[in-house]
Amino acid sequence: MATVTSSAAVPVVPKELLREPLVTNNRTPGWISDRVASLIEGRTPAWWWVAFIPSVLLAALLLGMLAYQISTGVGVWGNHHPTMWAWDIINFVWWIGIGHAGTLISAILFLLRQKWRTAVNRSAEAMTIFAVMCAGIYPAVHVGRVWFDWFLFPIPNSNAIWPQFRSPLMWDVFAVSTYFTVSLLFWYVGLIPDLAVMRDRAKTKIRQFLYGLFSLGWTGSNRHWSNYEKAYLILAGLSTPLVLSVHSIVSLDFAVSQLPGWHTTIFPPYFVAGAIFSGFGMVLTLLIPLRRWCHLEDIITMRHIDVMCKVTLATGSIVGYAYGMEFFIAWYSGSPYERFAFINRALGPYWWGYWIMIACNVVFPQLFWFKKIRHNLWIVFILSILVNIGMWFERFVIIVISLHREFLPSNWAYFKPSWVDIATYLGTFGLFFTLFLLFMRFLPMIAISEVKGVTPHADPHMPEGGAKGGHH
Amino acid sequence: MSAVFPKWTNRLPLMILTGLVLVGGGVVAGVWYYFTPKYTRVGYQPLQPVAFSHKVHVDQLGLDCRYCHHDVERSWFSNIPSSSTCMNCHNQVLKDDPRLALVRESAATGRPIAWVQVHKVPDYVYFNHAVHVNRGISCVECHGRVDQMDEVFHAKPLSMAFCLDCHRDPASFVRPLDKVTDLAWRWSEDPAEHARQQQSQGRRMVEHWRIESLQNCSACHR
């Protein structure tokens, strides 16, 4: 601390950077609680049912497709030699990537003391969990014999055999299951004070019981908060290397192989950047309509959207750099297979996939350089969807285009998805939106206690203004 | 704080924890016991079309295993004797016994008896009887004391772990070649002496017979 001056004069408060406040219109803590809780306590809005019913139907479609595929065989998909991995793995990587923004927002931005995260972290974490659930289905069912999935776990058994710990697919099992568990814990720990808020506001016995049960007797005492903050910080510190390693491990599924187009050392950081890129794309896609429909404009402000657009721009540019570097190395390596692999990407039978990827991931996000664009919600929304499409095509390009023409020309083939591929993928959207809509109806979509911490009211120095403050 | 829960719920965490430990332990123990071949295979004793007694033929009459299962030293497959083997004796011994009607009929018509196979490994396991018998692995190691069985039952689990136990340590199981079919044979009546001899002699045999303790996949899963 600075030395206390002996003069009796009022201490000079350093001038704040004039930043737009994180909660606009000078909303009070009480208003924040009421606003967020009203999403749960109020009547179910009509748009919720309009979104929920098709989502459930799509989730049922997913179940049907999985039942059909498991009972008939993986051959119902379009996968064939040499493209033995296609939509199953594309969608797995895509969903896992979507999930990464949630942890970035909750953990990495927490470590970096980015207070704007408070308004978006809860829904981003929920997005992570549901996206990882959608992703986790694919490694389980893309195998030909689903009922032997338990062989992947190192369990002592009467076969006296263990899994092969050298395979990145094995690491996937540990990475994804750890990631899911830690994300769930992190999300739940964050929810405890808010569940207590919901408990205390509850009008019905059932709500009081359930929120009371899950808030684990939280009273918001000083000691509670002190331990809570430490636990949250530790979890954030643990999640940060986790989020970087999980998608790196996913990238090693490819980078460890010998295939031209896959065997690249740039993959781990490049996949992580892509994951954060696509994850932020998805956060924007979800939050832009939700802030309107749920009337959260004062909590998820234009500044939040603006910052998320900037992160998208930054990660999108990293991804663009990686695309360029891949091409440079393909030329620089002098390996004819590597060169061919990349010429084939841009000019081969799947040229359209490659150029959709370049347009959606490299060209369009560059529009985020302009403040006008970042503040036009329609354009941001459309660009965020393009990011998701582009990142799907990135995985398509990496997986299918590398596989369909490899070392031996006699192995070349053209991959086409079957209707089951497509319906399964659509079905995972159903599962995702079903879970997300249930989440926003039953759990506080905004971290109430954290947002309160960043309001001017929570600032001990400047009770009336400025965007400083917060409990972290 | 509002009193949502009565006071006794303070004990709930402990109860839940105890319950989880008990249920978790119970599930693990249950799977361990009931879902492994030690339980699912051992003791399997199907009803055979003819109540053939190994005890009578081996223990009482002193037949060598190879009298009936004569291919066991030459083939991967240890044969079930055809009815004509039975008739070598039973055309005179118990020749009108009704229990042997099926055997006589089979020998006359040439239609084989539908014995029920007790020891089955899956088709993706290539087990070779001859290599084991010719390297001093006794019948008793995998089939138990068949000489004491009135009707054959599954005595050993025959799981992969069971096979590997021996493949990883053959010295503890090999015995002199002329004792392979002597199911009661021991190095010594004294268990400590038997164990000592088994180790020292076993190691010698493994070395001299060049027993490769094969543990690679293609040894069995070709």
Side-chain angles (χ1 to χ4, degrees):
Chain A
M1 285 303 293
T3 48
V4 180
T5 50
S6 56
S7 77
V10 179
V12 181
V13 179
K15 204 168 179 294
E16 284 285 325
L17 279 174
L18 277 178
R19 275 186 170 169
E20 206 186 314
L22 285 168
V23 177
T24 51
N25 288 335
N26 205 19
R27 297 297 193 181
T28 60
W31 182 87
I32 294 169
S33 296
D34 287 341
R35 182 67 263 166
V36 176
S38 73
L39 301 175
I40 303 166
E41 290 163 350
R43 267 186 49 125
T44 312
W47 65 263
W48 190 87
W49 285 112
V50 171
F52 187 69
I53 291 167
S55 301
V56 171
L57 293 177
L58 275 180
L61 176 72
L62 172 68
L63 278 184
M65 286 302 101
L66 293 181
Y68 174 55
Q69 177 234 319
I70 291 168
S71 57
T72 312
V74 278
V76 298
W77 290 343
N79 301 13
H80 58 66
H81 183 80
T83 317
M84 307 298 265
W85 277 358
W87 281 47
D88 46 344
I89 304 297
I90 296 170
N91 300 335
F92 162 63
V93 182
W94 189 79
W95 275 118
I96 279 283
I98 295 289
H100 275 56
T103 318
L104 180 99
I105 289 171
S106 17
I108 298 180
L109 297 184
F110 181 77
L111 294 183
L112 298 174
R113 298 287 188 263
Q114 294 298 307
K115 294 196 182 81
W116 62 269
R117 66 178 271 287
T118 52
V120 288
N121 72 334
R122 176 69 45 73
S123 39
E125 284 162 33
M127 180 191 82
T128 293
I129 288 159
F130 306 143
V132 173
M133 286 164 88
C134 291
I137 291 172
Y138 280 106
V141 304
H142 86 294
V143 296
R145 298 173 188 193
V146 176
W147 47 95
F148 285 129
D149 275 349
W150 66 275
F151 274 25
L152 289 164
F153 296 94
I155 303 169
N157 57 52
S158 55
N159 290 339
I161 44 173
W162 287 71
Q164 168 61 278
F165 289 102
R166 287 179 191 162
S167 164
L169 300 181
M170 199 56 234
W171 310 338
D172 270 351
V173 173
F174 299 117
V176 174
S177 55
T178 311
Y179 188 53
F180 180 72
T181 314
V182 173
S183 303
L184 194 67
L185 271 179
F186 199 31
W187 185 60
Y188 180 59
V189 167
L191 269 167
I192 288 173
D194 287 4
L195 290 171
V197 171
M198 296 314 300
R199 172 199 64 198
D200 295 343
R201 297 173 61 99
K203 296 271 193 314
T204 66
K205 275 270 169 246
I206 300 174
R207 276 174 183 249
Q208 199 183 34
F209 174 81
L210 286 174
Y211 287 121
L213 184 69
F214 287 107
S215 60
L216 304 177
W218 177 267
T219 57
S221 73
N222 215 340
R223 178 180 290 198
H224 273 178
W225 275 114
S226 160
N227 287 336
Y228 172 89
E229 293 281 327
K230 261 179 229 149
Y232 202 79
L233 183 64
I234 290 170
L235 276 175
L238 288 174
S239 304
T240 299
L242 190 63
V243 71
L244 300 180
S245 64
V246 167
H247 217 66
S248 295
I249 286 171
V250 170
S251 84
L252 293 180
D253 294 348
F254 312 103
V256 162
S257 79
Q258 309 294 310
L259 197 68
W262 281 12
H263 189 66
T264 318
T265 51
I266 202 176
F267 266 17
Y270 148 44
F271 267 55
V272 173
I276 293 162
F277 178 60
S278 70
F280 267 86
M282 192 56 134
V283 173
L284 285 168
T285 312
L286 290 174
L287 287 186
I288 288 173
L290 279 182
R291 76 190 276 275
R292 160 73 66 82
W293 294 338
C294 301
H295 309 291
L296 294 169
E297 285 94 340
D298 287 339
I299 298 174
I300 304 171
T301 64
M302 284 314 290
R303 181 172 154 202
H304 289 96
I305 306 277
D306 186 83
V307 176
M308 286 195 276
C309 290
K310 285 177 184 165
V311 177
T312 312
L313 171 63
T315 48
S317 304
I318 297 174
V319 168
Y321 166 80
Y323 294 158
M325 190 47 72
E326 277 187 316
F327 263 79
F328 170 72
I329 294 293
W331 165 77
Y332 193 62
S333 69
S335 156
Y337 299 106
E338 184 104 0
R339 272 188 209 189
F340 171 76
F342 283 86
I343 291 170
N344 184 48
R345 278 190 187 181
L347 305 171
Y350 289 112
W351 61 271
W352 44 271
Y354 181 79
W355 292 107
I356 291 174
M357 171 187 95
I358 291 290
C360 293
N361 289 355
V362 184
V363 180
F364 294 131
Q366 297 303 315
L367 292 172
F368 284 140
W369 283 105
F370 305 102
K371 193 169 182 178
K372 266 216 172 84
I373 299 228
R374 295 201 301 271
H375 283 250
N376 185 326
L377 287 179
W378 275 107
I379 299 184
V380 173
F381 183 67
I382 290 167
L383 284 177
S384 74
I385 288 175
L386 288 179
V387 165
N388 289 318
I389 295 172
M391 284 309 291
W392 190 90
F393 271 96
E394 181 194 295
R395 280 67 180 245
F396 174 84
V397 164
I398 291 170
I399 295 170
V400 170
I401 306 189
S402 304
L403 280 170
H404 89 119
R405 287 194 171 175
E406 34 102 319
F407 291 109
L408 288 176
S410 56
N411 275 351
W412 291 2
Y414 191 82
F415 164 80
K416 268 197 198 114
S418 75
W419 65 274
V420 185
D421 278 311
I422 297 164
T424 308
Y425 181 46
L426 288 179
T428 55
F429 278 98
L431 177 65
F432 178 81
F433 282 110
T434 303
L435 293 170
F436 196 87
L437 287 164
L438 287 174
F439 151 72
M440 57 161 298
R441 264 310 277 163
F442 292 101
L443 292 171
M445 211 179 88
I446 306 283
I448 303 173
S449 58
E450 295 204 45
V451 171
K452 281 180 189 169
V454 299
T455 56
H457 304 272
D459 185 349
H461 299 294
M462 306 177 76
E464 286 309 318
K468 208 171 144 281
H471 58 73
H472 61 266
Chain B
M1 183 204 157
S2 59
V4 180
F5 299 102
K7 195 137 196 173
W8 66 265
T9 50
N10 281 339
R11 290 196 303 275
L12 212 55
L14 190 69
M15 286 152 78
I16 292 173
L17 206 68
T18 320
L20 279 179
V21 169
L22 288 179
V23 170
V27 167
V28 170
V31 169
W32 203 292
Y33 187 76
Y34 290 107
F35 286 76
T36 51
K38 277 181 189 158
Y39 180 88
T40 55
R41 290 196 201 153
V42 172
Y44 172 59
Q45 188 178 31
L47 189 68
Q48 300 288 355
V50 179
F52 177 82
S53 167
H54 276 81
K55 188 173 163 66
V56 169
H57 290 82
V58 183
D59 201 39
Q60 220 169 305
L61 302 173
L63 284 179
D64 187 89
C65 306
R66 289 162 294 188
Y67 179 73
C68 300
H69 304 289
H70 47 73
D71 284 344
V72 74
E73 292 171 306
R74 289 187 294 273
S75 166
W76 66 273
F77 177 69
S78 173
N79 65 300
I80 306 291
S82 62
S83 322
S84 61
T85 309
C86 307
M87 292 310 281
N88 284 351
C89 300
H90 285 294
N91 59 2
Q92 293 180 34
V93 180
L94 300 175
K95 61 195 282 254
D96 295 319
D97 194 302
R99 289 173 295 176
L100 295 172
L102 201 59
V103 179
R104 287 191 296 271
E105 185 201 317
S106 164
T109 59
R111 200 174 323 120
I113 301 170
W115 298 105
V116 184
Q117 192 177 359
V118 178
H119 296 85
K120 261 191 245 186
V121 287
D123 283 350
Y124 53 78
V125 179
Y126 294 88
F127 179 79
N128 188 324
H129 274 88
V131 291
H132 289 86
V133 171
N134 291 325
R135 280 294 178 275
I137 296 301
S138 166
C139 317
V140 74
E141 303 294 354
C142 303
H143 297 288
R145 289 299 296 273
V146 178
D147 59 329
Q148 303 295 324
M149 295 180 192
D150 261 329
E151 281 199 51
V152 172
F153 60 86
H154 214 305
K156 303 287 176 95
L158 300 195
S159 63
M160 187 165 152
F162 172 83
C163 299
L164 284 171
D165 278 347
C166 186
H167 275 238
R168 284 170 181 163
D169 178 25
S172 299
F173 299 91
V174 288
R175 60 170 69 183
L177 290 177
D178 55 342
K179 306 294 181 200
V180 162
T181 57
D182 186 351
L183 304 190
W185 178 86
R186 312 280 285 165
W187 288 99
S188 158
E189 288 308 316
D190 173 33
E193 174 61 13
H194 168 78
R196 207 188 54 74
Q197 287 255 12
Q198 178 66 51
Q199 281 310 311
S200 60
Q201 303 286 352
R203 221 165 297 153
R204 230 176 42 109
M205 289 182 237
V206 167
E207 195 188 316
H208 280 263
W209 296 342
R210 301 210 177 126
I211 292 177
E212 300 175 65
S213 86
L214 290 176
Q215 294 168 48
N216 54 357
C217 308
S218 62
C220 311
H221 302 289
R222 313 177 204 187

